[in-house]
Amino acid sequence: MNTILPRSGTAFMLRKGERLKITDIKGEQVSDFTCFNLDDTKEYLSSGRTIDYAETIFLTKGHPFYSNRSNIMFNIIEDTVGRHDFLLTPCSADTFRIIYGDENPHRGCFGNLCEALEPFGIDPDSIPICFNVFMNVAVDGETGKISVLPPKSKEGDYIIIEAAMDLIVGMTACSAEMSNNYSFKPIGYSILKNETAE
Amino acid sequence: MNTILPRSGTAFMLRKGERLKITDIKGEQVSDFTCFNLDDTKEYLSSGRTIDYAETIFLTKGHPFYSNRSNIMFNIIEDTVGRHDFLLTPCSADTFRIIYGDENPHRGCFGNLCEALEPFGIDPDSIPICFNVFMNVAVDGETGKISVLPPKSKEGDYIIIEAAMDLIVGMTACSAEMSNNYSFKPIGYSILKNETAE
């Protein structure tokens, strides 16, 4: 298993049919996840399309994850937690400045994704709303208020996704205090070959 | 007042300090709205940033609307309805195919925005999640399920926004049955000069 150190990020290719296991090594840690079509990086993971077609904001096993072009990019094959966020953009220096009032803000998941995805030719403006694995965002259906709560994930919890096209994946061990119950921890990942793939 | 005909769209410039009034002429009609920085169209209206900073999914007067770069693009100055959607992408041929099962689908708000924004050099992949004015999307906070309900807007209801930077605006009279209570109607808009602007 590969490890993403606390408050850092990585990017890599995931081929169609390959499975990616994302593990919360210590529990209560979020991983901001996004992906792009390897062959045309203007096609990206779209929260708006995915939520629209799934008719839920809580995505898990059984919900196809769509691109901005309405193509399926991946599916969740296993999910031991069942609660993730798909509403919020990655934390950034601006997030820490606006929400936390930090004077010398960390670059956040956004800055980490920028650096990790730059070698693949993906620029900062092209990083969309992420699928925030293990992030627990409650929504009050009456008022609309959102609340960032501690993740429901415990040590060793994981999801497994299967790529439905060749992908560039970017992911982080999230840098925002509220998202991780005020303790920065690593995230694990490993690519599993899918024996049933074409 | 200008009129956007049912199931069509338009695009235009809105200068910093100018105000745009968007009117539901007949009631229960949605307008998908997006905008870009006139001077650099890679900066666009971001639902993820806006929801994150406002801490609510129901945006209205008092909530700054942010770009992907965390700059304020506009504010709502007046809002006679108070319920709009900022979760879903514009309806498209794929939407009608996947959700409605249409065999010969309409191009939807997405297609209309593509055509309207093309003269401004904005390509289809750059059209983000829209602020769907007057769209009424309920979220069940327990299950996450979303439901597209008839708009709460009645004949003559409106919002007024004020641009905080020079903008290219794209907007539609929405093409999706569920969003408009199964009746396609026009949307009105007019640009008001703001006497208090710098």
Side-chain angles (χ1 to χ4, degrees), chain A residues 7-64:
Chain A
R7 299 189 113 181
S8 71
T10 190
F12 51 87
M13 286 188 291
L14 188 70
R15 296 283 180 179
K16 180 179 177 180
E18 286 182 338
R19 294 181 175 190
L20 173 67
K21 183 176 181 179
I22 303 172
T23 302
D24 190 348
I25 297 174
K26 296 192 174 179
E28 296 191 334
Q29 175 63 38
V30 166
S31 177
D32 287 17
F33 176 100
T34 188
C35 58
F36 302 83
N37 177 347
L38 176 65
D39 298 320
D40 182 353
T41 58
K42 295 193 76 172
E43 183 166 15
Y44 62 87
L45 180 62
S46 169
S47 62
R49 294 269 172 241
T50 301
I51 289 170
D52 202 359
Y53 301 150
E55 296 184 349
T56 179
I57 60 168
F58 297 146
L59 287 303
T60 182
K61 185 175 173 177
H63 299 126

Side-chain angles (χ1 to χ4, degrees), chain A residues 42 47-49 52 55-58 68-70 87 89-90 94-95 99 123 125 129 139 141 143-146, chain B residues 42 47-49 55-58 68-70 87 89-90 94-95 99 123 125 129 139 141 143-146:
Chain A
K42 295 193 76 172
S47 62
R49 294 269 172 241
D52 202 359
E55 296 184 349
T56 179
I57 60 168
F58 297 146
N68 58 314
R69 298 179 190 165
S70 294
L87 300 181
T89 30
D94 292 307
T95 309
I99 295 183
D123 73 346
D125 287 319
I129 293 170
V139 176
T143 65
K145 181 173 169 51
I146 61 168
Chain B
K42 295 193 75 171
S47 62
R49 294 269 172 242
E55 296 183 349
T56 178
I57 60 169
F58 296 147
N68 58 314
R69 296 179 189 165
S70 294
L87 299 181
T89 30
D94 292 308
T95 309
I99 295 183
D123 74 346
D125 287 320
I129 292 171
V139 176
T143 65
K145 181 174 168 51
I146 61 168

Side-chain angles (χ1 to χ4, degrees), chain A residues 90-110:
Chain A
C91 58
S92 66
D94 292 307
T95 309
F96 292 118
R97 179 176 55 79
I98 293 172
I99 295 183
Y100 292 85
D102 292 354
E103 290 186 8
N104 295 297
H106 190 273
R107 66 181 183 175
C109 286
F110 183 73

Side-chain angles (χ1 to χ4, degrees), chain B residues 19-70:
Chain B
R19 293 180 175 190
L20 172 68
K21 183 176 181 180
I22 303 172
T23 303
D24 190 349
I25 298 173
K26 296 192 173 178
E28 295 191 335
Q29 174 64 37
V30 166
S31 177
D32 286 17
F33 176 101
T34 190
C35 59
F36 302 83
N37 177 347
L38 176 65
D39 298 319
D40 182 352
T41 58
K42 295 193 75 171
E43 182 167 16
Y44 62 88
L45 180 62
S46 169
S47 62
R49 294 269 172 242
T50 301
I51 290 170
D52 202 359
Y53 300 150
E55 296 183 349
T56 178
I57 60 169
F58 296 147
L59 287 303
T60 183
K61 184 175 172 177
H63 299 125
F65 283 69
Y66 285 89
S67 74
N68 58 314
R69 296 179 189 165
S70 294

Side-chain angles (χ1 to χ4, degrees), chain A residues 99-171:
Chain A
I99 295 183
Y100 292 85
D102 292 354
E103 290 186 8
N104 295 297
H106 190 273
R107 66 181 183 175
C109 286
F110 183 73
N112 288 328
L113 287 170
C114 289
E115 181 176 299
L117 289 165
E118 192 277 336
F120 293 96
I122 294 163
D123 73 346
D125 287 319
S126 301
I127 296 174
I129 293 170
C130 284
F131 181 57
N132 301 305
V133 181
F134 310 129
M135 188 170 181
N136 182 10
V137 177
V139 176
D140 183 317
E142 291 301 313
T143 65
K145 181 173 169 51
I146 61 168
S147 306
V148 178
L149 304 176
K152 295 187 171 184
S153 50
K154 295 182 171 51
E155 180 183 327
D157 271 327
Y158 64 88
I159 68 168
I160 297 176
I161 69 166
E162 182 175 305
M165 62 170 73
D166 289 345
L167 299 175
I168 298 164
V169 167
M171 51 184 288

